[in-house]
Amino acid sequence: VEGGSDAGFLVLLQNIAPVLNQVNGFQPQSIRYDMKRNELRLRAIGKDFQSFSQVKQELEKQGLSVDQGGLNNDGDTVVGEIKIRSQA
């Protein structure tokens, strides 16, 4: 996090952490935060396409705006990115 307040990052992280722990077979690989957009980009590996859909649905239930990027098969796993923003 560069400059300014990291409160937006911490709030998003606090909201997504329980979801990431509850979805089986979903492993975050990297997290990037864009403070100007108050947007968190999560690159992850999932056991299947459904694991990404489940994470998206659970985050939306918490009132977050979620955009799922492209998903790609990588052997027996799926690799992709999710963009998460608070709706405030």
Side-chain angles (χ1 to χ4, degrees):
V1 178
E2 294 182 11
S5 171
D6 57 1
F9 171 72
L10 296 175
V11 169
L12 281 173
L13 201 56
Q14 181 179 7
N15 286 330
I16 70 168
V19 172
L20 300 181
N21 285 328
Q22 89 181 42
V23 176
N24 194 21
F26 188 86
Q27 300 174 333
Q29 298 299 299
S30 67
I31 295 176
R32 292 185 318 230
Y33 181 71
D34 183 332
M35 189 175 357
K36 290 178 183 173
R37 294 181 179 178
N38 192 27
E39 177 181 273
L40 190 139
R41 292 182 184 205
L42 176 70
R43 185 140 184 88
I45 296 174
K47 65 179 181 177
D48 53 25
F49 291 100
Q50 182 61 29
S51 60
F52 279 85
S53 295
Q54 188 177 356
V55 167
K56 182 179 187 296
Q57 290 170 359
E58 292 300 321
L59 292 172
E60 287 172 340
K61 284 182 190 175
Q62 293 193 17
L64 298 171
S65 173
V66 183
D67 292 325
Q68 188 170 292
L71 302 177
N72 298 302
N73 278 320
D74 185 16
D76 59 350
T77 60
V78 175
V79 178
E81 185 173 278
I82 295 176
K83 289 188 249 180
I84 306 161
R85 286 181 242 81
S86 52
Q87 295 199 8

